Amino acid sequence: MILSAENLGVEFTGLKAVDGASFSVARGESYGLVGESGSGKSTVLRALAGLIGNWTGTIRFDGRELAHDRDRGFYARVQMVFQDPYGSLHPRQTVDRALAEPLAIHNMDRREARIEKALEEVGLGHGFRFRYPHQLSGGQRQRVAIARALIVEPEMLLLDEPTSALDVSIQAEVLNLLDALRRAHNLTFVMVSHNLAVVAHMCARLAVMNRGKIVEEMDTDALRRGEAKDPYTRRLMAASRGYDRKLAESFKTLD
Amino acid sequence: MSGSLRTWLLDEAPHSRGQARAGAFYRQWLAFRQNGLAMLGLSIVLGLVLVAIFAPLLAPYGPSAQDLDFRLQPPSQRHWLGTDELGRDILSRIIYGARITLGIVLLVVATVAPVGLAVGTLAGYFGGWVDAVLMRITDVFLAFPRLILALAFVAALKPGIENAVLAIALTTWPPYARLARAETLVVRKADYIAAVQAQGASGLRIVLRHVAPMCVSSTIVRMTLDMAGIILTAAGLGFLGLGAQPPSPEWGAMISSGRRFLLDQWWVAAMPGIAIFVVSLGFNLLGDGLRDVLDPKRE
């Protein structure tokens, strides 16, 4: 197990955003966290990434327990891709600057070659290198964000709804790109999504979160066979098939 | 401008860092150029800079050259703007005075903007006790009325241009810190800051390289608009005899000495007054135009 969380909890002024979540991710695996808005899935990811300071419980990475303050070595091994590609790129920095920054932070060599290679890998050529974010489409921006995460050669990517802000036609492209990159670099993914279909496509195993708790953990095959046991998971599955008034009513009564 | 340079600047896929930067700058210039009043402001400010640089070439007489036979002469072909009570050519004095005015403005700006920006961004980004300490210090300086502190300061030390600059600078920086802090509070929550945090960047690096650039444009705008106020304060101190000292051709001091002849020889005080008015107006118009172009909310 490269990453494990035990009894992870995050509290925001009285609200338990994450409550006793435990799960573990194997090396090279793609693990999904599914839930609706406000279920705490993104908060789990931010705690893993070291962006939230006030979590409780235990997080282990590669056998070592993680402190609240991470060292630079951790950030070289675990990188994150954010949900909103319009917000995650600095509006005043070119793609070149965005890619050079992690190289400078981690003091890496051959910067020119690495930047060119990273752009090549995410399917953006040299022509995109000196553009500003406002000169790029949403899909292109997310590719830049992926390149930025991969340029330090991490072992693990934390993906926070990487496609939910994109057009449907672009979503598949970006998901396939991520999948190909994972195979090519032997990466471990932890992916957060509200979309069961996306997680089923990308991940071998997944956990379903509701109101800060992990209600069920299962593998994708079991999900496809419809073997979900928890009532919330079943409703989420039904919801992913389309809108249904009765179903929408049932979400209100479920606690 | 030649067509090829224009295409090079407006290239959607620049080939180098320099081209990307020049292109972004050129686009802002194109937007700025649309604004007629801002262009007027820019030409006034550029004119002031040129006059200050080439003062010895432009001025028909020396700034302190006296000609007692020609005291208090009205504007004429020989002295375009007339002469003062010592027979000095007012036009020449105003031209040399541009150097002093510009010097004061640049000195104040060079000290105020970096200090305000640093205090504001650090307080805003780190929060907690850093914020509390820095902002309370800012509040203390904000509590001093500008002209009164400048007066006290100059009175305690000695009247002179350096002390005037120091006094103005001391009272000018707090609004910049406030402005930078407010912008930082917005920017620090943005995903692109979280993204550099998740890359392992140190707090100082984030503030300097990612947060501060977002606050620079509003600082530039505020600075340009403030320059008029700085010029007026400096002239005010000069008028009160606490800024530049005679025989220095500072505009405020010139008004002060001309005030005695205001009714009979109006040009002695009016000409430097017009100079102050025009230059202040120029900076204000320029600042307004810059705000329209640089305002981050436009993007």
Side-chain angles (χ1 to χ4, degrees), chain A residues 46 75 79 82 87-88 90-93 96-97 101 104-106 112 127 129-131 135 148, chain B residues 12-17 20 191-192 194-195 197-201 205 209-210 213-214 217 299:
Chain A
R46 283 176 177 258
Y75 294 113
Q79 280 286 316
F82 290 81
S88 71
H90 199 294
R92 296 275 162 93
Q93 292 178 359
D96 177 65
R97 255 302 287 284
E101 192 66 6
I105 292 169
H106 295 284
E112 276 297 304
R129 181 167 167 190
F130 297 104
R131 292 197 194 188
Q135 295 171 304
R148 176 176 64 181
Chain B
E12 277 294 319
H15 298 289
S16 69
R17 257 159 245 191
D191 267 357
Y192 56 84
Q197 285 169 345
Q199 285 163 10
R205 183 184 184 91
R209 294 181 59 102
H210 300 272
M214 295 304 287
S217 42
E299 286 169 20

mmCIF file of all heavy atoms in Angstrom, chain A residues 46 75 79 82 87-88 90-93 96-97 101 104-106 112 127 129-131 135 148, chain B residues 12-17 20 191-192 194-195 197-201 205 209-210 213-214 217 299:
data_model
loop_
_atom_site.group_PDB
_atom_site.id
_atom_site.type_symbol
_atom_site.label_atom_id
_atom_site.label_comp_id
_atom_site.label_asym_id
_atom_site.label_seq_id
_atom_site.Cartn_x
_atom_site.Cartn_y
_atom_site.Cartn_z
ATOM 1 N N ARG A 46 -7.718 17.196 -0.411
ATOM 2 C CA ARG A 46 -6.910 18.350 0.011
ATOM 3 C C ARG A 46 -6.113 18.036 1.267
ATOM 4 O O ARG A 46 -4.997 18.533 1.428
ATOM 5 C CB ARG A 46 -7.811 19.568 0.231
ATOM 6 C CG ARG A 46 -8.201 20.188 -1.101
ATOM 7 C CD ARG A 46 -9.163 21.331 -0.972
ATOM 8 N NE ARG A 46 -9.412 21.892 -2.300
ATOM 9 C CZ ARG A 46 -8.842 23.013 -2.742
ATOM 10 N NH1 ARG A 46 -8.055 23.720 -1.976
ATOM 11 N NH2 ARG A 46 -9.075 23.425 -3.970
ATOM 12 N N TYR A 75 6.154 16.692 -1.908
ATOM 13 C CA TYR A 75 5.500 17.338 -3.051
ATOM 14 C C TYR A 75 6.109 16.906 -4.383
ATOM 15 O O TYR A 75 5.479 17.035 -5.426
ATOM 16 C CB TYR A 75 5.574 18.862 -2.914
ATOM 17 C CG TYR A 75 4.782 19.396 -1.753
ATOM 18 C CD1 TYR A 75 5.403 19.979 -0.662
ATOM 19 C CD2 TYR A 75 3.398 19.306 -1.756
ATOM 20 C CE1 TYR A 75 4.664 20.474 0.403
ATOM 21 C CE2 TYR A 75 2.656 19.797 -0.701
ATOM 22 C CZ TYR A 75 3.291 20.381 0.370
ATOM 23 O OH TYR A 75 2.554 20.873 1.412
ATOM 24 N N GLN A 79 1.506 14.867 -6.575
ATOM 25 C CA GLN A 79 1.066 16.112 -7.189
ATOM 26 C C GLN A 79 -0.443 16.106 -7.358
ATOM 27 O O GLN A 79 -1.082 15.059 -7.280
ATOM 28 C CB GLN A 79 1.738 16.290 -8.553
ATOM 29 C CG GLN A 79 3.152 16.811 -8.449
ATOM 30 C CD GLN A 79 3.173 18.282 -8.080
ATOM 31 O OE1 GLN A 79 2.425 19.094 -8.606
ATOM 32 N NE2 GLN A 79 4.034 18.630 -7.135
ATOM 33 N N PHE A 82 -6.315 20.163 -10.275
ATOM 34 C CA PHE A 82 -7.511 20.768 -9.703
ATOM 35 C C PHE A 82 -8.701 20.677 -10.641
ATOM 36 O O PHE A 82 -8.567 20.430 -11.827
ATOM 37 C CB PHE A 82 -7.236 22.230 -9.349
ATOM 38 C CG PHE A 82 -6.301 22.380 -8.194
ATOM 39 C CD1 PHE A 82 -4.931 22.274 -8.378
ATOM 40 C CD2 PHE A 82 -6.782 22.591 -6.928
ATOM 41 C CE1 PHE A 82 -4.067 22.396 -7.314
ATOM 42 C CE2 PHE A 82 -5.929 22.709 -5.863
ATOM 43 C CZ PHE A 82 -4.567 22.616 -6.052
ATOM 44 N N GLY A 87 -9.419 28.343 -13.001
ATOM 45 C CA GLY A 87 -8.918 28.966 -11.781
ATOM 46 C C GLY A 87 -7.553 28.472 -11.350
ATOM 47 O O GLY A 87 -6.889 29.112 -10.548
ATOM 48 N N SER A 88 -7.101 27.346 -11.908
ATOM 49 C CA SER A 88 -5.887 26.748 -11.360
ATOM 50 C C SER A 88 -4.623 27.190 -12.094
ATOM 51 O O SER A 88 -3.526 26.807 -11.715
ATOM 52 C CB SER A 88 -5.992 25.222 -11.355
ATOM 53 O OG SER A 88 -5.926 24.723 -12.656
ATOM 54 N N HIS A 90 -2.345 30.504 -13.201
ATOM 55 C CA HIS A 90 -2.144 31.914 -12.870
ATOM 56 C C HIS A 90 -2.442 32.784 -14.089
ATOM 57 O O HIS A 90 -1.834 32.591 -15.137
ATOM 58 C CB HIS A 90 -0.696 32.123 -12.421
ATOM 59 C CG HIS A 90 -0.502 33.395 -11.648
ATOM 60 N ND1 HIS A 90 -0.658 34.625 -12.224
ATOM 61 C CD2 HIS A 90 -0.179 33.613 -10.354
ATOM 62 C CE1 HIS A 90 -0.428 35.553 -11.306
ATOM 63 N NE2 HIS A 90 -0.138 34.962 -10.157
ATOM 64 N N PRO A 91 -3.387 33.734 -13.972
ATOM 65 C CA PRO A 91 -3.795 34.492 -15.158
ATOM 66 C C PRO A 91 -2.687 35.352 -15.773
ATOM 67 O O PRO A 91 -2.778 35.736 -16.931
ATOM 68 C CB PRO A 91 -4.936 35.382 -14.637
ATOM 69 C CG PRO A 91 -4.800 35.388 -13.163
ATOM 70 C CD PRO A 91 -4.174 34.081 -12.787
ATOM 71 N N ARG A 92 -1.653 35.652 -15.007
ATOM 72 C CA ARG A 92 -0.593 36.527 -15.530
ATOM 73 C C ARG A 92 0.641 35.742 -15.955
ATOM 74 O O ARG A 92 1.676 36.324 -16.223
ATOM 75 C CB ARG A 92 -0.171 37.535 -14.472
ATOM 76 C CG ARG A 92 -1.253 38.498 -14.080
ATOM 77 C CD ARG A 92 -1.284 39.677 -15.048
ATOM 78 N NE ARG A 92 -2.556 40.384 -14.949
ATOM 79 C CZ ARG A 92 -2.767 41.420 -14.175
ATOM 80 N NH1 ARG A 92 -1.795 41.875 -13.440
ATOM 81 N NH2 ARG A 92 -3.939 41.999 -14.135
ATOM 82 N N GLN A 93 0.569 34.412 -15.938
ATOM 83 C CA GLN A 93 1.755 33.622 -16.275
ATOM 84 C C GLN A 93 1.510 32.795 -17.528
ATOM 85 O O GLN A 93 0.459 32.187 -17.683
ATOM 86 C CB GLN A 93 2.125 32.699 -15.103
ATOM 87 C CG GLN A 93 2.606 33.462 -13.888
ATOM 88 C CD GLN A 93 2.928 32.550 -12.726
ATOM 89 O OE1 GLN A 93 2.764 31.332 -12.819
ATOM 90 N NE2 GLN A 93 3.364 33.118 -11.632
ATOM 91 N N ASP A 96 4.644 28.485 -20.206
ATOM 92 C CA ASP A 96 6.069 28.284 -19.932
ATOM 93 C C ASP A 96 6.398 28.575 -18.471
ATOM 94 O O ASP A 96 7.073 27.778 -17.803
ATOM 95 C CB ASP A 96 6.872 29.203 -20.859
ATOM 96 C CG ASP A 96 8.362 29.126 -20.594
ATOM 97 O OD1 ASP A 96 8.926 28.054 -20.826
ATOM 98 O OD2 ASP A 96 8.939 30.139 -20.173
ATOM 99 N N ARG A 97 5.924 29.686 -17.947
ATOM 100 C CA ARG A 97 6.165 30.038 -16.540
ATOM 101 C C ARG A 97 5.563 28.987 -15.616
ATOM 102 O O ARG A 97 6.175 28.563 -14.639
ATOM 103 C CB ARG A 97 5.489 31.366 -16.205
ATOM 104 C CG ARG A 97 6.321 32.632 -16.062
ATOM 105 C CD ARG A 97 7.399 32.652 -15.054
ATOM 106 N NE ARG A 97 7.053 32.735 -13.640
ATOM 107 C CZ ARG A 97 6.654 33.825 -13.013
ATOM 108 N NH1 ARG A 97 6.484 34.923 -13.655
ATOM 109 N NH2 ARG A 97 6.431 33.799 -11.723
ATOM 110 N N GLU A 101 7.923 26.753 -13.062
ATOM 111 C CA GLU A 101 7.856 26.985 -11.617
ATOM 112 C C GLU A 101 8.128 25.719 -10.792
ATOM 113 O O GLU A 101 8.989 25.740 -9.917
ATOM 114 C CB GLU A 101 6.501 27.615 -11.268
ATOM 115 C CG GLU A 101 6.394 28.177 -9.876
ATOM 116 C CD GLU A 101 7.293 29.380 -9.609
ATOM 117 O OE1 GLU A 101 7.934 29.872 -10.556
ATOM 118 O OE2 GLU A 101 7.350 29.808 -8.449
ATOM 119 N N ALA A 104 11.722 24.860 -10.866
ATOM 120 C CA ALA A 104 12.549 25.739 -10.043
ATOM 121 C C ALA A 104 12.401 25.385 -8.564
ATOM 122 O O ALA A 104 13.384 25.356 -7.821
ATOM 123 C CB ALA A 104 12.154 27.195 -10.281
ATOM 124 N N ILE A 105 11.162 25.093 -8.145
ATOM 125 C CA ILE A 105 10.923 24.763 -6.734
ATOM 126 C C ILE A 105 11.704 23.510 -6.354
ATOM 127 O O ILE A 105 12.309 23.444 -5.283
ATOM 128 C CB ILE A 105 9.411 24.547 -6.484
ATOM 129 C CG1 ILE A 105 8.663 25.867 -6.634
ATOM 130 C CG2 ILE A 105 9.170 23.951 -5.098
ATOM 131 C CD1 ILE A 105 7.152 25.716 -6.666
ATOM 132 N N HIS A 106 11.699 22.531 -7.236
ATOM 133 C CA HIS A 106 12.358 21.260 -6.903
ATOM 134 C C HIS A 106 13.766 21.174 -7.462
ATOM 135 O O HIS A 106 14.376 20.105 -7.441
ATOM 136 C CB HIS A 106 11.502 20.092 -7.388
ATOM 137 C CG HIS A 106 10.193 19.998 -6.673
ATOM 138 N ND1 HIS A 106 10.078 19.505 -5.398
ATOM 139 C CD2 HIS A 106 8.949 20.399 -7.022
ATOM 140 C CE1 HIS A 106 8.820 19.581 -4.999
ATOM 141 N NE2 HIS A 106 8.119 20.124 -5.971
ATOM 142 N N GLU A 112 14.668 23.141 -19.998
ATOM 143 C CA GLU A 112 14.159 23.322 -21.362
ATOM 144 C C GLU A 112 13.556 22.019 -21.882
ATOM 145 O O GLU A 112 12.416 21.975 -22.312
ATOM 146 C CB GLU A 112 15.320 23.744 -22.285
ATOM 147 C CG GLU A 112 15.623 25.213 -22.273
ATOM 148 C CD GLU A 112 14.464 26.034 -22.795
ATOM 149 O OE1 GLU A 112 14.037 25.779 -23.925
ATOM 150 O OE2 GLU A 112 13.980 26.903 -22.058
ATOM 151 N N GLY A 127 3.846 25.155 -29.879
ATOM 152 C CA GLY A 127 3.079 26.363 -30.175
ATOM 153 C C GLY A 127 2.304 26.897 -28.988
ATOM 154 O O GLY A 127 1.890 28.048 -28.978
ATOM 155 N N ARG A 129 3.498 26.892 -25.848
ATOM 156 C CA ARG A 129 4.379 27.102 -24.712
ATOM 157 C C ARG A 129 4.341 28.516 -24.168
ATOM 158 O O ARG A 129 4.393 28.728 -22.968
ATOM 159 C CB ARG A 129 5.811 26.740 -25.124
ATOM 160 C CG ARG A 129 6.765 26.905 -23.980
ATOM 161 C CD ARG A 129 8.099 26.268 -24.268
ATOM 162 N NE ARG A 129 9.039 26.729 -23.269
ATOM 163 C CZ ARG A 129 10.330 26.522 -23.319
ATOM 164 N NH1 ARG A 129 10.844 25.838 -24.332
ATOM 165 N NH2 ARG A 129 11.119 26.977 -22.381
ATOM 166 N N PHE A 130 4.237 29.493 -25.054
ATOM 167 C CA PHE A 130 4.329 30.874 -24.571
ATOM 168 C C PHE A 130 2.982 31.589 -24.609
ATOM 169 O O PHE A 130 2.904 32.796 -24.713
ATOM 170 C CB PHE A 130 5.380 31.641 -25.372
ATOM 171 C CG PHE A 130 6.750 31.061 -25.186
ATOM 172 C CD1 PHE A 130 7.328 30.286 -26.170
ATOM 173 C CD2 PHE A 130 7.423 31.251 -23.990
ATOM 174 C CE1 PHE A 130 8.582 29.731 -25.989
ATOM 175 C CE2 PHE A 130 8.674 30.699 -23.806
ATOM 176 C CZ PHE A 130 9.259 29.936 -24.805
ATOM 177 N N ARG A 131 1.913 30.821 -24.508
ATOM 178 C CA ARG A 131 0.595 31.453 -24.471
ATOM 179 C C ARG A 131 0.194 31.716 -23.024
ATOM 180 O O ARG A 131 0.659 31.069 -22.099
ATOM 181 C CB ARG A 131 -0.437 30.523 -25.092
ATOM 182 C CG ARG A 131 -0.235 30.356 -26.570
ATOM 183 C CD ARG A 131 -1.481 29.794 -27.185
ATOM 184 N NE ARG A 131 -1.182 29.320 -28.531
ATOM 185 C CZ ARG A 131 -2.112 28.916 -29.360
ATOM 186 N NH1 ARG A 131 -3.365 28.905 -28.978
ATOM 187 N NH2 ARG A 131 -1.782 28.499 -30.559
ATOM 188 N N GLN A 135 -5.600 32.543 -23.590
ATOM 189 C CA GLN A 135 -5.516 32.190 -25.008
ATOM 190 C C GLN A 135 -5.758 30.693 -25.221
ATOM 191 O O GLN A 135 -5.534 30.190 -26.315
ATOM 192 C CB GLN A 135 -4.140 32.565 -25.563
ATOM 193 C CG GLN A 135 -3.877 34.068 -25.574
ATOM 194 C CD GLN A 135 -2.445 34.389 -25.918
ATOM 195 O OE1 GLN A 135 -1.522 33.917 -25.274
ATOM 196 N NE2 GLN A 135 -2.253 35.219 -26.935
ATOM 197 N N ARG A 148 1.821 20.271 -15.770
ATOM 198 C CA ARG A 148 2.465 20.910 -14.622
ATOM 199 C C ARG A 148 2.624 19.931 -13.462
ATOM 200 O O ARG A 148 3.618 19.944 -12.754
ATOM 201 C CB ARG A 148 1.623 22.104 -14.181
ATOM 202 C CG ARG A 148 2.126 22.786 -12.936
ATOM 203 C CD ARG A 148 1.300 23.997 -12.615
ATOM 204 N NE ARG A 148 -0.077 23.646 -12.289
ATOM 205 C CZ ARG A 148 -1.019 24.532 -11.994
ATOM 206 N NH1 ARG A 148 -0.734 25.813 -12.017
ATOM 207 N NH2 ARG A 148 -2.248 24.157 -11.712
ATOM 208 N N GLU B 12 -0.723 34.688 -31.955
ATOM 209 C CA GLU B 12 -1.438 33.924 -30.921
ATOM 210 C C GLU B 12 -0.572 32.829 -30.318
ATOM 211 O O GLU B 12 -0.838 32.340 -29.222
ATOM 212 C CB GLU B 12 -2.711 33.301 -31.517
ATOM 213 C CG GLU B 12 -3.894 34.245 -31.574
ATOM 214 C CD GLU B 12 -4.418 34.645 -30.196
ATOM 215 O OE1 GLU B 12 -4.488 33.778 -29.314
ATOM 216 O OE2 GLU B 12 -4.736 35.820 -30.001
ATOM 217 N N ALA B 13 0.458 32.407 -31.036
ATOM 218 C CA ALA B 13 1.339 31.363 -30.514
ATOM 219 C C ALA B 13 2.787 31.870 -30.515
ATOM 220 O O ALA B 13 3.566 31.568 -31.411
ATOM 221 C CB ALA B 13 1.218 30.099 -31.364
ATOM 222 N N PRO B 14 3.140 32.690 -29.515
ATOM 223 C CA PRO B 14 4.482 33.275 -29.486
ATOM 224 C C PRO B 14 5.569 32.196 -29.388
ATOM 225 O O PRO B 14 5.318 31.101 -28.894
ATOM 226 C CB PRO B 14 4.469 34.141 -28.216
ATOM 227 C CG PRO B 14 3.050 34.227 -27.785
ATOM 228 C CD PRO B 14 2.350 33.049 -28.328
ATOM 229 N N HIS B 15 6.751 32.565 -29.887
ATOM 230 C CA HIS B 15 7.820 31.571 -29.915
ATOM 231 C C HIS B 15 8.836 31.742 -28.815
ATOM 232 O O HIS B 15 9.755 30.949 -28.681
ATOM 233 C CB HIS B 15 8.511 31.597 -31.277
ATOM 234 C CG HIS B 15 7.565 31.252 -32.395
ATOM 235 N ND1 HIS B 15 7.094 29.975 -32.571
ATOM 236 C CD2 HIS B 15 6.979 32.010 -33.338
ATOM 237 C CE1 HIS B 15 6.260 29.953 -33.604
ATOM 238 N NE2 HIS B 15 6.162 31.189 -34.079
ATOM 239 N N SER B 16 8.727 32.804 -28.037
ATOM 240 C CA SER B 16 9.703 32.990 -26.971
ATOM 241 C C SER B 16 9.068 33.762 -25.836
ATOM 242 O O SER B 16 8.011 34.366 -25.990
ATOM 243 C CB SER B 16 10.927 33.753 -27.494
ATOM 244 O OG SER B 16 10.535 35.089 -27.767
ATOM 245 N N ARG B 17 9.715 33.710 -24.692
ATOM 246 C CA ARG B 17 9.258 34.448 -23.528
ATOM 247 C C ARG B 17 9.101 35.925 -23.840
ATOM 248 O O ARG B 17 8.107 36.549 -23.516
ATOM 249 C CB ARG B 17 10.299 34.295 -22.411
ATOM 250 C CG ARG B 17 9.882 33.317 -21.341
ATOM 251 C CD ARG B 17 11.084 32.828 -20.588
ATOM 252 N NE ARG B 17 11.210 31.399 -20.851
ATOM 253 C CZ ARG B 17 12.031 30.607 -20.191
ATOM 254 N NH1 ARG B 17 12.811 31.088 -19.267
ATOM 255 N NH2 ARG B 17 12.061 29.326 -20.462
ATOM 256 N N ALA B 20 6.095 36.726 -25.975
ATOM 257 C CA ALA B 20 4.845 36.621 -25.226
ATOM 258 C C ALA B 20 4.626 37.870 -24.388
ATOM 259 O O ALA B 20 3.541 38.441 -24.349
ATOM 260 C CB ALA B 20 4.875 35.380 -24.339
ATOM 261 N N ASP B 191 -7.409 28.951 -6.760
ATOM 262 C CA ASP B 191 -6.847 27.625 -7.023
ATOM 263 C C ASP B 191 -5.403 27.700 -7.506
ATOM 264 O O ASP B 191 -4.609 26.817 -7.227
ATOM 265 C CB ASP B 191 -7.699 26.904 -8.078
ATOM 266 C CG ASP B 191 -8.767 26.038 -7.422
ATOM 267 O OD1 ASP B 191 -8.778 25.979 -6.176
ATOM 268 O OD2 ASP B 191 -9.574 25.432 -8.150
ATOM 269 N N TYR B 192 -5.065 28.765 -8.254
ATOM 270 C CA TYR B 192 -3.694 28.797 -8.780
ATOM 271 C C TYR B 192 -2.676 29.009 -7.665
ATOM 272 O O TYR B 192 -1.515 28.641 -7.819
ATOM 273 C CB TYR B 192 -3.526 29.809 -9.914
ATOM 274 C CG TYR B 192 -3.920 31.232 -9.612
ATOM 275 C CD1 TYR B 192 -3.039 32.092 -8.991
ATOM 276 C CD2 TYR B 192 -5.173 31.710 -9.976
ATOM 277 C CE1 TYR B 192 -3.395 33.395 -8.722
ATOM 278 C CE2 TYR B 192 -5.542 33.008 -9.718
ATOM 279 C CZ TYR B 192 -4.648 33.855 -9.087
ATOM 280 O OH TYR B 192 -5.005 35.142 -8.828
ATOM 281 N N ALA B 194 -3.308 27.631 -4.541
ATOM 282 C CA ALA B 194 -3.307 26.275 -3.982
ATOM 283 C C ALA B 194 -2.425 25.365 -4.838
ATOM 284 O O ALA B 194 -1.724 24.493 -4.314
ATOM 285 C CB ALA B 194 -4.736 25.731 -3.921
ATOM 286 N N ALA B 195 -2.433 25.603 -6.151
ATOM 287 C CA ALA B 195 -1.636 24.759 -7.044
ATOM 288 C C ALA B 195 -0.142 24.912 -6.765
ATOM 289 O O ALA B 195 0.584 23.912 -6.726
ATOM 290 C CB ALA B 195 -1.939 25.103 -8.502
ATOM 291 N N GLN B 197 1.080 25.889 -3.924
ATOM 292 C CA GLN B 197 1.278 25.287 -2.595
ATOM 293 C C GLN B 197 1.447 23.784 -2.733
ATOM 294 O O GLN B 197 2.317 23.189 -2.106
ATOM 295 C CB GLN B 197 0.075 25.598 -1.690
ATOM 296 C CG GLN B 197 0.054 27.027 -1.191
ATOM 297 C CD GLN B 197 -1.264 27.379 -0.517
ATOM 298 O OE1 GLN B 197 -2.261 26.677 -0.659
ATOM 299 N NE2 GLN B 197 -1.273 28.482 0.206
ATOM 300 N N ALA B 198 0.609 23.171 -3.577
ATOM 301 C CA ALA B 198 0.678 21.726 -3.764
ATOM 302 C C ALA B 198 1.935 21.322 -4.524
ATOM 303 O O ALA B 198 2.249 20.140 -4.617
ATOM 304 C CB ALA B 198 -0.565 21.237 -4.504
ATOM 305 N N GLN B 199 2.642 22.294 -5.089
ATOM 306 C CA GLN B 199 3.927 21.978 -5.714
ATOM 307 C C GLN B 199 5.058 22.064 -4.704
ATOM 308 O O GLN B 199 6.202 21.729 -5.011
ATOM 309 C CB GLN B 199 4.213 22.951 -6.866
ATOM 310 C CG GLN B 199 3.399 22.663 -8.113
ATOM 311 C CD GLN B 199 3.394 23.847 -9.039
ATOM 312 O OE1 GLN B 199 4.139 24.807 -8.856
ATOM 313 N NE2 GLN B 199 2.544 23.792 -10.042
ATOM 314 N N GLY B 200 4.751 22.534 -3.507
ATOM 315 C CA GLY B 200 5.766 22.599 -2.466
ATOM 316 C C GLY B 200 6.506 23.914 -2.388
ATOM 317 O O GLY B 200 7.589 23.983 -1.819
ATOM 318 N N ALA B 201 5.922 24.982 -2.954
ATOM 319 C CA ALA B 201 6.601 26.278 -2.908
ATOM 320 C C ALA B 201 6.564 26.849 -1.491
ATOM 321 O O ALA B 201 5.616 26.630 -0.750
ATOM 322 C CB ALA B 201 5.928 27.246 -3.880
ATOM 323 N N ARG B 205 8.114 32.501 -1.472
ATOM 324 C CA ARG B 205 8.133 32.382 -2.928
ATOM 325 C C ARG B 205 6.744 32.645 -3.508
ATOM 326 O O ARG B 205 6.597 33.332 -4.518
ATOM 327 C CB ARG B 205 8.591 30.974 -3.306
ATOM 328 C CG ARG B 205 8.720 30.780 -4.791
ATOM 329 C CD ARG B 205 9.085 29.352 -5.157
ATOM 330 N NE ARG B 205 9.277 29.268 -6.585
ATOM 331 C CZ ARG B 205 10.434 29.445 -7.191
ATOM 332 N NH1 ARG B 205 11.507 29.676 -6.486
ATOM 333 N NH2 ARG B 205 10.527 29.380 -8.492
ATOM 334 N N ARG B 209 6.333 35.739 -6.020
ATOM 335 C CA ARG B 209 6.238 35.406 -7.438
ATOM 336 C C ARG B 209 4.809 35.200 -7.922
ATOM 337 O O ARG B 209 4.551 35.250 -9.124
ATOM 338 C CB ARG B 209 7.059 34.158 -7.739
ATOM 339 C CG ARG B 209 8.541 34.386 -7.545
ATOM 340 C CD ARG B 209 9.330 33.145 -7.869
ATOM 341 N NE ARG B 209 9.131 32.703 -9.237
ATOM 342 C CZ ARG B 209 9.998 32.904 -10.218
ATOM 343 N NH1 ARG B 209 11.109 33.553 -9.967
ATOM 344 N NH2 ARG B 209 9.759 32.461 -11.419
ATOM 345 N N HIS B 210 3.883 34.927 -7.003
ATOM 346 C CA HIS B 210 2.531 34.617 -7.466
ATOM 347 C C HIS B 210 1.476 35.579 -6.957
ATOM 348 O O HIS B 210 0.539 35.893 -7.667
ATOM 349 C CB HIS B 210 2.173 33.184 -7.083
ATOM 350 C CG HIS B 210 3.095 32.168 -7.680
ATOM 351 N ND1 HIS B 210 2.887 31.617 -8.918
ATOM 352 C CD2 HIS B 210 4.251 31.641 -7.235
ATOM 353 C CE1 HIS B 210 3.873 30.785 -9.208
ATOM 354 N NE2 HIS B 210 4.717 30.782 -8.200
ATOM 355 N N PRO B 213 2.524 39.838 -8.031
ATOM 356 C CA PRO B 213 2.223 40.293 -9.392
ATOM 357 C C PRO B 213 0.747 40.614 -9.602
ATOM 358 O O PRO B 213 0.406 41.469 -10.428
ATOM 359 C CB PRO B 213 2.641 39.099 -10.259
ATOM 360 C CG PRO B 213 3.675 38.411 -9.471
ATOM 361 C CD PRO B 213 3.261 38.563 -8.034
ATOM 362 N N MET B 214 -0.142 39.949 -8.851
ATOM 363 C CA MET B 214 -1.558 40.233 -8.996
ATOM 364 C C MET B 214 -1.927 41.577 -8.374
ATOM 365 O O MET B 214 -2.982 42.127 -8.667
ATOM 366 C CB MET B 214 -2.402 39.123 -8.362
ATOM 367 C CG MET B 214 -2.273 37.776 -9.021
ATOM 368 S SD MET B 214 -2.664 37.825 -10.774
ATOM 369 C CE MET B 214 -4.445 38.020 -10.715
ATOM 370 N N SER B 217 -0.696 45.762 -10.525
ATOM 371 C CA SER B 217 -1.384 46.693 -11.424
ATOM 372 C C SER B 217 -2.223 47.686 -10.631
ATOM 373 O O SER B 217 -2.231 48.879 -10.961
ATOM 374 C CB SER B 217 -2.224 45.937 -12.449
ATOM 375 O OG SER B 217 -2.899 44.879 -11.856
ATOM 376 N N GLU B 299 -10.402 41.114 -16.784
ATOM 377 C CA GLU B 299 -10.033 39.870 -17.474
ATOM 378 C C GLU B 299 -11.064 38.765 -17.238
ATOM 379 O O GLU B 299 -11.642 38.699 -16.191
ATOM 380 C CB GLU B 299 -8.661 39.399 -16.976
ATOM 381 C CG GLU B 299 -7.560 40.262 -17.536
ATOM 382 C CD GLU B 299 -6.228 39.990 -16.848
ATOM 383 O OE1 GLU B 299 -6.095 38.914 -16.247
ATOM 384 O OE2 GLU B 299 -5.356 40.841 -16.911
#
